[in-house]
Amino acid sequence: MLGSVYTLYVSQCSCPGRENFVHLCNPHLEKMKEDILYHFALGTGTHDFPALFGDVKFVCVGGSPSRMKAFITYIAEELGLGSPGHDYPNICAGTDRYTMYKVGPVLSVSHGMGIPSISIMLHELIKLLYHAKCSNITIIRIGTSGGIGLEPGSVVITRQSVDATFKPQLEQVILGKTVVRSTNLDEQLAKELMQCSKEMGQFNTVIGNTMCTLDFYEGQGRLDGAICLYSEEEKMQYLKEAYDSGIRNIEMESSVFAAMCNFSGIKAAVVCVTLLNRLEGDQISSSHDVLAEYQERPQKLVGYFIKKSLGKV
């Protein structure tokens, strides 16, 4: 019956796929003569995906368009593939939904804010990588978050993405039924990133669980939103329970990111810097310059990882 709640536990795609290649869990796509990636302003009938993207090995995604442009400029210089002052074109210039930049084997894509926005982007990104016949792909989300029990500026590499009840799952209603999917991330990739941070020795980095919420205010237990019907004591109890369960930061995209990458056979990681310690307050009060430096930390770590993977360290 429509509207009834059914829970389907799905941890991985049952569709056939080639090892190390991106695979799609949608048999209907095989019947389509052309696949239009509407929110990227790209399509298989108008663009040669293997020629444009076939050499991609690393995809970095983040919420802010300007941050992802800054990342592609940074990684181009780190890999010796760019020149100072070079302006990289936005591949998705035909739309104002997302931005996309490429240099060598690295693709940098913005995803906006929240689960719905990154979900739309990921559907089209995964199809793009499939149509381009990409293999051995690593996708890393870089971003900002609120920390729990960590000094501002600490970087969290996500072990598991958990929901607001601390469960490692994503719930989504599909055709009136509640589908539950796993939100585990690649354990070996997390360890490799942690090792990179140790080798860099530039900032505090931890591996911990990340809580993914549906909004920024009530969903994260803030006291400063337009609506708040709980006490400060209740908020603190909740955040301390989160810390005790292994959660070290809070953001709004990691659960669907983990779930969709699992389904597509893609190694994935989430690397976020903390802008504040939520046990000490709700509002971000650090100066612009300090926040700008914090936001560079995930891209530095991921940049080092990419260089090391390519034998350039």
Side-chain angles (χ1 to χ4, degrees):
M1 180 184 298
L2 186 64
S4 297
V5 177
Y6 297 90
T7 303
L8 306 178
Y9 287 92
V10 184
S11 61
Q12 61 183 7
C13 180
S14 58
C15 306
R18 295 167 293 176
E19 186 177 1
N20 298 325
F21 281 78
V22 176
H23 56 265
L24 300 180
C25 296
N26 183 357
H28 304 289
L29 292 174
E30 298 177 5
K31 305 173 185 177
M32 296 169 51
K33 294 182 179 180
E34 178 182 2
D35 190 5
I36 299 173
L37 309 186
Y38 173 74
H39 301 89
F40 284 165
L42 299 171
T44 55
T46 54
H47 297 80
D48 186 340
F49 281 50
L52 290 170
F53 305 107
D55 62 339
V56 169
K57 297 296 180 185
F58 304 95
V59 182
C60 295
V61 303
S64 164
S66 61
R67 188 184 305 146
M68 300 322 294
K69 184 172 185 179
F71 176 77
I72 207 67
T73 302
Y74 173 78
I75 199 65
E77 295 175 357
E78 288 293 296
L79 297 180
L81 298 175
S83 56
H86 182 75
D87 186 29
Y88 296 90
N90 175 17
I91 297 171
C92 297
T95 177
D96 60 358
R97 296 298 182 184
Y98 305 104
T99 57
M100 180 185 297
Y101 305 94
K102 182 182 181 299
V103 63
V106 182
L107 197 64
S108 178
V109 191
S110 70
H111 59 60
M113 185 179 294
I115 288 174
S117 184
I118 191 174
S119 172
I120 294 168
M121 187 281 291
L122 285 170
H123 274 283
E124 299 189 14
L125 173 64
I126 291 167
K127 292 197 295 178
L128 180 154
L129 297 171
Y130 173 83
H131 292 312
K133 298 178 172 34
C134 293
S135 63
N136 301 310
I137 292 291
T138 298
I139 299 184
I140 303 177
R141 166 170 142 67
I142 58 176
T144 59
S145 63
I148 302 181
L150 297 175
E151 287 296 315
S154 299
V155 172
V156 179
I157 301 168
T158 303
R159 176 184 292 109
Q160 284 183 321
S161 174
V162 302
D163 64 17
T165 66
F166 312 159
K167 295 177 183 177
Q169 64 184 35
L170 169 71
E171 289 192 8
Q172 185 172 358
V173 178
I174 302 174
L175 301 182
K177 298 179 181 180
T178 299
V179 176
V180 179
R181 291 172 175 166
S182 167
T183 54
N184 289 330
L185 288 156
D186 191 279
E187 183 178 356
Q188 182 58 36
L189 179 56
K191 290 179 179 178
E192 291 174 11
L193 286 161
M194 187 67 193
Q195 179 59 35
C196 287
S197 182
K198 291 178 180 178
E199 293 173 11
M200 293 170 64
Q202 296 182 16
F203 40 77
N204 179 47
T205 303
V206 301
I207 294 178
N209 291 346
T210 296
M211 182 161 65
C212 183
T213 65
L214 299 180
D215 80 313
F216 186 80
Y217 287 98
E218 290 180 284
Q220 296 188 12
R222 279 183 160 84
L223 302 174
D224 59 342
I227 300 170
C228 179
L229 302 178
Y230 44 83
S231 68
E232 182 173 4
E233 291 74 18
E234 289 172 318
K235 164 207 160 178
M236 292 302 296
Q237 180 181 354
Y238 177 70
L239 292 180
K240 288 176 180 176
E241 289 174 357
Y243 181 86
D244 290 342
S245 75
I247 296 169
R248 294 296 176 266
N249 64 334
I250 311 173
E251 46 85 271
M252 296 186 292
E253 293 87 19
S254 59
S255 62
V256 73
F257 173 80
M260 292 184 68
C261 289
N262 283 340
F263 261 70
S264 305
I266 302 173
K267 287 197 304 182
V270 177
V271 179
C272 289
V273 68
T274 61
L275 300 184
L276 76 166
N277 180 0
R278 288 294 316 287
L279 296 179
E280 297 179 353
D282 295 333
Q283 297 202 332
I284 300 169
S285 58
S286 299
S287 69
H288 173 78
D289 290 343
V290 169
L291 292 176
E293 193 278 321
Y294 286 170
Q295 292 181 41
E296 291 177 354
R297 294 182 179 185
Q299 77 176 25
K300 287 180 178 178
L301 174 53
V302 173
Y304 184 94
F305 166 78
I306 292 174
K307 287 176 62 179
K308 185 177 180 181
S309 299
L310 295 174
K312 294 181 177 288
V313 173

